[in-house]
Amino acid sequence: MLTTIVAAVIVLGLLILFHELGHFLVAKWCGVGVVKFSIGFGPVVVGRKIGETEYAISAFPLGGFVKMVGEDPDEEVTPAQRSVAFQAQPLWKRFAIVFAGPFANLLFACLAFIAVFSLYGARVPSEAAKVGSVMPDMPAAQAGLRPGDVIKAVDGQPVHTWEELSRTIRQRGAQTLTLLVERDGQQIELSVTPKEREEKNLFGEVTGKAYLIGIERGLERIDVSFVGAIGMGIQQTAWWVGTIFLSLAKMAQGKIPASEIGGPILIAQAAGEQARLGLEYLLNFMAVISVNLGVLNLLPVPILDGGHLLFFAIEAVRRRPLDTRYREIAQQVGLILLLALMVFAFYNDIARVLQRWG
């Protein structure tokens, strides 16, 4: 429990800090005054004012904010503040300030992936018929197969690659197979009977049925140079951005159930699990969550950064800002949607916890 709490605080705290730091640094670079920089909402737990800005850690750590001078269109600013007011800045500066938060999350993810590839190398699929993991309650587990086992033959027929192994098992259907397995330098024989199971893709969609024994492909670790790690980190970040957008589209189409949505409790549990596995796993987890935060904040929903960017795009087309009344209505709708999503995510989290305890 202690590991879970500490890991959750580190993960959420760092990702929120990076997001708000993006807004803050670009606002300062653009000459906009910043009144408050807060990690969390509600009453201030720890705070200190340095110059014009109050820096605070607040009671409810499910987010953060950067309060800028003249951020609200209806806010009155003094003549002395006019030059540093957010609303007085040209459109490109306001766009850059708002976009900087999600961009900071994507940058954090890229840096975390680069660190993983630099420190630990890359995991690539093994060409050999090597068992990476064994699914519980499947024929392979019941037969005694273990991670790291290398399957050398099926019913006396040699197999040299994972593709050969997979093809052979699928072709035999429900026939009982005799596997020649190499384990710790010794060879043993195990009998296993494949079962017909649904095959699913990355998004949980059923793509067909096949006879499987319940093993996943093994991975080999390769060294990566720092320059190579940079390229792989960028590619990995871009892949996750595309995957998350595609997941959101499939969820909107009803192809991915809404029960898959998770909230802070799920993140905290996963953070604790990854922290126990080691720094490599925790960094990968933080990178993926950071990409999620960056992408979700770019959605064109009023009250999120993406909603503000949408307003700026409309302003660019109309050559004048959207009427304040419409902006306020849109933001109220966005707030209701966001609160409803948070309640639903908490409900899913609690349901998962109760299911696990049951």
Side-chain angles (χ1 to χ4, degrees):
M1 179 64 71
L2 180 61
T3 301
T4 297
I5 294 173
V6 172
V9 169
I10 291 174
V11 169
L12 293 176
L14 272 177
L15 298 186
I16 293 169
L17 174 63
F18 246 76
H19 181 94
E20 301 305 334
L21 197 59
H23 291 310
F24 175 80
L25 293 176
V26 176
K28 286 289 191 181
W29 176 72
C30 290
V32 175
V34 178
V35 178
K36 189 172 183 178
F37 181 106
S38 176
I39 302 300
F41 300 100
V44 174
V45 177
V46 179
R48 183 178 180 182
K49 189 168 185 178
I50 302 175
E52 65 174 1
T53 307
E54 178 188 3
Y55 300 88
I57 297 177
S58 301
F60 305 105
L62 299 179
F65 65 92
V66 172
K67 172 63 178 173
M68 292 171 281
V69 175
E71 185 175 352
D72 189 336
D74 296 328
E75 181 183 342
E76 292 187 9
V77 296
T78 64
Q81 293 177 316
R82 197 160 295 148
S83 63
V84 297
F86 176 79
Q87 292 296 337
Q89 305 304 312
L91 183 60
W92 73 268
K93 283 190 177 182
R94 285 179 280 143
F95 189 98
I97 292 169
V98 173
F99 181 74
F103 177 78
N105 281 129
L106 299 181
L107 178 62
F108 178 91
C110 188
L111 293 175
F113 283 132
I114 290 171
V116 169
F117 291 131
S118 298
L119 297 173
Y120 302 100
R123 296 174 183 266
V124 298
S126 174
E127 290 299 321
K130 183 178 181 180
V131 178
S133 61
V134 180
M135 302 175 192
D137 302 322
M138 286 289 285
Q142 296 165 0
L145 274 170
R146 301 176 187 174
D149 286 349
V150 178
I151 300 173
K152 309 297 289 187
V154 178
D155 287 340
Q157 176 184 340
V159 292
H160 304 94
T161 66
W162 178 266
E163 285 75 15
E164 285 183 331
L165 172 65
S166 177
R167 184 171 59 252
T168 302
I169 292 174
R170 290 165 185 265
Q171 289 174 346
R172 299 297 176 85
Q175 298 177 20
T176 298
L177 308 174
T178 300
L179 307 181
L180 180 63
V181 177
E182 186 176 277
R183 177 187 298 167
D184 299 328
Q186 297 182 341
Q187 292 189 345
I188 58 175
E189 287 189 347
L190 299 174
S191 294
V192 60
T193 305
K195 288 184 178 180
E196 189 178 37
R197 288 288 186 269
E198 291 181 339
E199 288 192 294
K200 298 181 179 181
N201 61 16
L202 176 66
F203 307 102
E205 297 174 291
V206 177
T207 57
K209 291 185 176 181
Y211 283 92
L212 309 171
I213 63 173
I215 58 175
E216 294 183 352
R217 189 171 187 167
L219 299 174
E220 304 287 350
R221 192 184 297 272
I222 60 171
D223 293 331
V224 179
S225 67
F226 181 69
V227 174
I230 294 174
M232 294 178 71
I234 294 172
Q235 289 177 349
Q236 189 81 337
T237 304
W239 183 86
W240 273 107
V241 169
T243 299
I244 292 168
F245 271 122
L246 189 55
S247 299
L248 291 171
K250 288 181 177 292
M251 191 169 290
Q253 295 168 357
K255 295 181 179 180
I256 298 178
S259 59
E260 295 296 317
I261 296 174
I265 297 175
L266 179 62
I267 294 175
Q269 291 176 333
E273 292 171 1
Q274 299 304 308
R276 285 188 286 274
L277 290 173
L279 181 60
E280 176 188 2
Y281 294 88
L282 183 60
L283 283 173
N284 267 316
F285 174 75
M286 291 175 68
V288 174
I289 296 298
S290 193
V291 175
N292 272 272
L293 290 177
V295 169
L296 293 178
N297 268 286
L298 285 174
L299 295 179
V301 177
I303 210 171
L304 295 179
D305 292 331
H308 293 293
L309 296 177
L310 176 62
F311 291 149
F312 295 154
I314 294 172
E315 180 180 341
V317 173
R318 299 176 74 242
R319 301 296 179 90
R320 64 180 186 277
L322 193 65
D323 187 272
T324 303
R325 179 165 55 103
Y326 296 127
R327 290 174 62 112
E328 289 176 349
I329 293 173
Q331 288 180 340
Q332 288 170 1
V333 172
L335 178 61
I336 292 171
L337 291 174
L338 186 60
L339 289 174
L341 180 62
M342 290 180 64
V343 170
F344 185 71
F346 268 113
Y347 170 81
N348 282 347
D349 284 354
I350 293 170
R352 289 189 190 95
V353 172
L354 293 177
Q355 187 177 25
R356 182 177 296 183
W357 285 352

